[in-house]
Amino acid sequence: MKAVVTVMLKEGVLDPQGKAIGHALGVLGFTGVGEVRVGKRIELDLAETDPEAARKSAEDMGRSLLANLVIESFQVEIV
Amino acid sequence: MKAAIVVFPGINRERDMAIALQLATGHRPQMIWHKETVLEGIDLVVLPGGFSSGDYLRCGAMAAHSPIMPAIHEHARRGGHVLGVCNGFQILTEAGMLPGALLRNAGLRFLSMDCHLRVERADTDFAGHYQTGQVFRAPMAHGDGNYFAASDTLDRLEGEGLVAFRYASASGEITNAANRNGSQRNIAGIYSPNLRVLGLMPHPEDLVDPLMGGIDGKPLFDGLAAALAA
């Protein structure tokens, strides 16, 4: 079973990478781009076969290591 | 003072830290590999700078879960002293031993230069050989030194006098220009509530001998050695 964990900086936390990418897109002539935010996508191959148990396990991993909840939030998707 | 330096894979400042501690105490600190699990007879635990585990995932995220960390938590819980410099500060925040987090520098550049730090209080075991308000020079070398915490956490740190050092001009003014990494409220270093755990981004251990270009960082180690002499 595969879990995809998406980690993003929380609202209100400065994302200088997003800002730099937004600026570069403007330089390249792309218009109408508002705020740009950069995150991480972490794919986990899990031995667990029950989707709910896999989700719970991935959420535990998110809280203990994959995200720093002081600055980041995360979402788990079971695929 | 018996000091121990914890060595994580990817750390690179442990030898300079050892020189600074040896100059202050007269003997070599113990080097402790991160896979050890026991700290005995140690007064000061130092987490040095570098790039533990290649800064993968987040700076200090892996090191914060190393086998030695429960012993460091216990050492701090018993009132033991802990100093985290640069990556060591990042590890302390990742381990939840100090509040907040260190984000990517606001300008996205790795900053390798001297900065000036203003001593916010000198009545601690770390800063006892400085004066409150004194400014000293310290090299910094980091890509993720932008101190962030929620505003109520920042208010608490300031209200309880737990801000150790702020980025300042050479004359001691707290300015945006002096705050090269974009840290909130110019915070360069903070204490735990019992003032026994200190984390800071710049490197006082890099200025402890005239041959290094100055001795601005030496009072920190001399002060610690004097405070923990018993």
Side-chain angles (χ1 to χ4, degrees), chain B residues 5-224:
Chain B
I5 299 174
V6 182
V7 181
F8 299 94
I11 285 288
N12 60 11
R13 309 301 304 139
E14 74 278 11
R15 292 191 182 94
D16 301 75
M17 186 61 77
I19 290 168
L21 288 164
Q22 183 166 5
L23 277 172
T25 64
H27 50 260
R28 288 189 64 78
Q30 193 179 336
M31 292 288 185
I32 296 191
W33 181 236
H34 75 118
K35 289 202 170 167
E36 294 185 33
T37 54
V38 178
L39 285 171
E40 271 179 11
I42 301 296
D43 302 308
L44 171 73
V45 175
V46 182
L47 308 184
F51 303 86
S52 56
S53 297
D55 277 352
Y56 291 164
L57 191 63
R58 294 178 308 276
C59 302
M62 311 295 176
H65 298 285
S66 280
I68 191 66
M69 288 309 293
I72 297 176
H73 281 282
E74 177 59 19
H75 169 80
R77 199 191 58 73
R78 287 196 312 260
H81 289 71
V82 181
L83 170 65
V85 173
C86 198
N87 196 204
F89 184 16
Q90 294 163 339
I91 294 167
L92 289 174
T93 61
E94 280 284 340
M97 294 177 68
L98 289 173
L102 284 310
L103 299 175
R104 183 66 50 90
N105 292 342
L108 284 174
R109 290 175 190 273
F110 188 96
L111 295 170
S112 178
M113 58 181 64
D114 284 356
C115 64
H116 288 91
L117 299 179
R118 190 179 77 184
V119 179
E120 296 301 291
R121 61 186 295 179
D123 60 340
T124 73
D125 292 338
F126 293 91
H129 281 208
Y130 291 109
Q131 305 288 322
T132 299
Q134 184 179 344
V135 176
F136 68 98
R137 189 163 59 93
M140 61 176 170
H142 59 247
D144 299 73
N146 179 352
Y147 184 72
F148 173 88
S151 58
D152 56 339
T153 303
L154 294 169
D155 290 343
R156 181 179 63 79
L157 286 171
E158 293 191 322
E160 295 176 8
L162 301 180
V163 177
F165 306 109
R166 288 186 211 264
Y167 298 107
S169 67
S171 56
E173 289 156 299
I174 303 303
T175 61
N176 283 336
N179 192 24
R180 298 296 295 267
N181 58 26
S183 289
Q184 290 191 320
R185 305 189 193 182
N186 283 54
I187 291 173
I190 55 172
Y191 291 114
S192 61
N194 70 356
L195 304 174
R196 301 284 182 92
V197 180
L198 168 66
L200 77 164
M201 285 310 298
H203 292 274
E205 78 276 16
D206 284 359
L207 280 182
V208 295
D209 186 307
L211 279 175
M212 294 172 168
I215 56 167
D216 283 51
K218 200 166 182 301
L220 188 140
F221 299 97
D222 289 344
L224 266 176

